[in-house]
Structures are given as C-alpha cells and as structure tokens.
C-alpha cells in the first residue's frame, strides 16, 4: 500500500467519524424544547382564597348513655386550594340512648345505702350532658375530582382531613339529697369512709379541652354552594356515667378517661365570594 492510498483512507475515516459525532448534536439542536402544560386548564378553584360559612347538623355515633343531637356553624378560610384554618361550634340537646333505656327499668325506685347499685334517680343524676362543643383546626384537602351521575351530571367534589384542638362544656346536676357524701374518699374522725359511691358527687362537668380529628367531603352543587358531609372526633377527658369506674368505692377525678366523642354531620357550605377563581 503506497503513501497516497494511506492518506486517502485516513481522510475518509476522519470524515465518517466527524459525521457520527456531529449527527446526534444536530438532531438534538433541531428538537424543540419541551413545554409542560397544565394537566387541567381553566379548572375552577372552588375553595382557594374563599371563606366557607356552613350551617350544620351533627349527632353522636358512639354515645354510651346520652345521644347528642346538635346544630351549629362552621367557619373556615381556605388559604390555598389545599390548606385552610377553621372553627366549628355546636349547641346540642341530649336524649337517652338504647342502653340507658334498658338500664333504668332494672333499677330500684328508692336508694339503698347497703348496696352499690344506684336507684333510678341516682343513676340519672350522675349522667352528664354536653350542651356545647366545638373545635379549632387546620384542614388539608389532598384530592378533588368529579362525580358522574347517569352519564350526565358532573358534580365536583373534594376530600379533606382536619386536626386541631377540641373543647366541650359538660354539665351534670346531682341534688344534695342524692349526692350527700361531700367527703368521698377522704375519711377522718368527723366523717368515716363511706363505701357507697352512689351518693358521691359525679365530678364530670365543667369545660374540657382536648384533641380534634375529622374528615369529610364537599360535593359542589354550584360554584358557591356545596353539600358538606363530615365525621368529627372530639377527644377529651370524661366520665359520662359519673360513677365509680375504677372500682375504688368512691367517685374521683381518676374515674375520668380520655374518650372519643364521635359525631357524624351534614351541612350546607356557602363559599364567599360567590364567584370562584380559575386556573389559566
């Protein structure tokens, strides 16, 4: 092979190599820059930067002795379409549960100091009621979508979860003739120990502060009206029966436990301002 042939072969190899190196660069140079478009355009922001005002009704799910039916108001401001802060307050009335209705007929009409079994009056006067309860909370809305009914109606919805602080006002009324032992669990020379807890003060009233957890769904009937379905759990110290729970023969603060007070509720949410914002 002569010198001319060698130089020609090297020139051809160099040209081929340069072409292979430059071709990908040319391809990528001609490819347009990818633009990421929004998943949903002109999406209605049903809650962002809006005040939610919701008259509501709720009732207990797990009441032991008293069923609470209540009406109230939820006030919530949505900082974004996912995060909001709010408060709820409910005024309630108390009704006997099925358990209470079964217990009362089995009790004696008159008190018997020789037994720890309460009379009808002692049992009822030791129960407490919850005329007022509510919560302060932070709410997070991670999901939204649409409900389709009969292939025609599209109802937007979102799911939310709440957490914060609960409060409740508890009341009980035990007359001095029924709750006559003013020194329960405190024996002395002046008053010997009374082993009958049925005549002790129930010690289950007052203002209670605790934890709050909730979750629910908005179903939007229009841009500013929504059906609000919620489950709320008010968690605080309570002794609903006002009785000697720990069996130490007298009623004291130690008979209270941190209990779940579970409610199911429904409300009508009004979003203000009435016109919702939209994404680009």
């Amino acid at each position: 092979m002569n010198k001319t042939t060698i130089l020609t072969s090297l020139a051809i190899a160099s040209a081929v190599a340069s072409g292979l190196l430059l071709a990908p660069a040319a391809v990528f140079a001609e490819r347009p820059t990818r633009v990421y478009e929004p998943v949903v355009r002109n999406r209605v922001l049903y809650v962002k930067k809006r005040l939610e005002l919701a008259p509501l009704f709720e009732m207990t799910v797990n009441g032991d002795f008293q069923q609470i039916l209540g009406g109230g108001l939820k006030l919530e401001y949505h900082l974004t379409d996912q995060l909001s802060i709010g408060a709820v307050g409910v005024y309630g009335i108390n009704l006997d549960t099925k358990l209470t209705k079964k217990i009362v007929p089995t009790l004696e009409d008159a008190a018997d100091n020789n037994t720890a079994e309460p009379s009808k009056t002692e049992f009822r006067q030791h129960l407490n009621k919850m005329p007022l309860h509510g919560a302060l909370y932070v709410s997070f809305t991670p999901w939204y979508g649409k409900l389709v009914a009969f292939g025609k109606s599209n109802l937007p919805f979102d799911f939310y979860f709440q957490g914060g602080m609960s409060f409740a006002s508890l009341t009980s009324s035990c007359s001095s003739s029924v709750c006559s032992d003013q020194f329960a669990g405190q024996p002395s020379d002046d008053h010997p120990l009374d082993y009958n807890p049925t005549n002790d003060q129930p010690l289950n009233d007052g203002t209670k502060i605790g934890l709050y957890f909730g979750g629910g769904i908005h179903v939007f009937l229009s841009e500013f009206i929504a059906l609000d379905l919620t489950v709320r759990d008010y968690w605080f110290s309570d002794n609903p029966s006002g009785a000697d729970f720990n069996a130490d023969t007298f009623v004291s603060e130690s008979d209270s436990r941190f209990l779940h007070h579970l409610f199911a509720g429904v409300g009508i949410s009004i979003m203000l301002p009435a016109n919702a914002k939209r994404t680009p």
Side-chain angles (χ1 to χ4, degrees):
M1 181 179 294
N2 57 33
K3 185 176 182 181
T4 301
T5 303
I6 294 174
L7 291 176
T8 301
S9 299
L10 290 174
I12 293 173
S14 298
V16 171
S18 298
L20 292 175
L21 291 174
L22 293 177
V27 170
F28 284 113
E30 294 176 1
R31 180 179 295 178
T33 303
R34 179 177 292 180
V35 178
Y36 292 92
E37 298 290 341
V39 176
V40 180
R41 285 189 173 275
N42 296 319
R43 179 169 71 89
V44 180
L45 301 175
Y46 286 96
V47 298
K48 185 177 181 180
K49 300 295 184 182
R50 302 178 85 182
L51 179 66
E52 180 180 355
L53 184 67
L56 62 90
F57 167 83
E58 67 179 24
M59 63 182 295
T60 46
V61 176
N62 64 335
D64 293 326
F65 303 102
Q66 295 287 292
Q67 178 78 20
I68 302 171
L69 306 178
L73 188 67
K74 179 177 81 169
L75 191 64
E76 187 171 336
Y77 183 70
H78 297 268
L79 304 169
T80 69
D81 58 351
Q82 290 188 319
L83 187 65
S84 59
I85 55 176
V88 59
V90 181
Y91 174 80
I93 61 173
N94 291 68
L95 302 173
D96 289 345
T97 62
K98 291 182 178 179
L99 177 61
T100 299
K101 292 177 180 179
K102 288 181 179 180
I103 292 175
V104 171
T106 68
L107 302 176
E108 298 294 334
D109 293 327
D112 184 356
N113 294 328
N114 296 320
T115 177
E117 181 179 293
S119 65
K120 288 182 173 67
T121 301
E122 287 174 333
F123 175 76
R124 284 194 173 279
Q125 290 196 11
H126 278 75
L127 301 180
N128 65 3
K129 300 179 180 180
M130 191 191 303
L132 181 66
H133 66 275
L136 302 174
Y137 59 84
V138 175
S139 185
F140 178 61
T141 306
W143 303 306
Y144 66 88
K146 286 187 177 182
L147 298 172
V148 179
F150 307 109
K152 296 181 179 180
S153 300
N154 292 320
L155 296 177
F157 71 91
D158 64 35
F159 282 104
Y160 59 83
F161 300 95
Q162 301 170 340
M165 179 186 73
S166 68
F167 60 88
S169 175
L170 305 181
T171 63
S172 61
S173 58
C174 193
S175 62
S176 58
S177 61
V178 173
C179 295
S180 57
D181 185 3
Q182 303 298 317
F183 306 97
Q186 305 173 23
S188 71
D189 294 336
D190 297 330
H191 46 272
L193 184 62
D194 180 358
Y195 292 99
N196 181 14
T198 62
N199 62 0
D200 296 345
Q201 293 288 337
L203 303 177
N204 60 356
D205 60 358
T207 300
K208 307 292 183 178
I209 304 296
L211 300 177
Y212 167 77
F213 300 97
I217 179 175
H218 287 123
V219 179
F220 291 92
L221 308 178
S222 71
E223 283 194 10
F224 71 99
I225 298 291
L227 180 65
D228 186 23
L229 305 175
T230 314
V231 174
R232 300 185 177 93
D233 187 3
Y234 307 90
W235 198 11
F236 52 82
S237 181
D238 189 12
N239 180 16
S241 68
D244 176 23
F245 182 79
N246 60 9
D248 58 2
T249 72
F250 64 92
V251 178
S252 66
E253 295 291 347
S254 62
D255 292 302
S256 294
R257 298 88 67 203
F258 226 55
L259 300 179
H260 295 275
H261 300 77
L262 195 63
F263 286 74
V266 59
I268 298 297
S269 294
I270 303 170
M271 303 292 180
L272 301 174
N275 295 323
K277 299 179 182 297
R278 285 173 167 76
T279 61

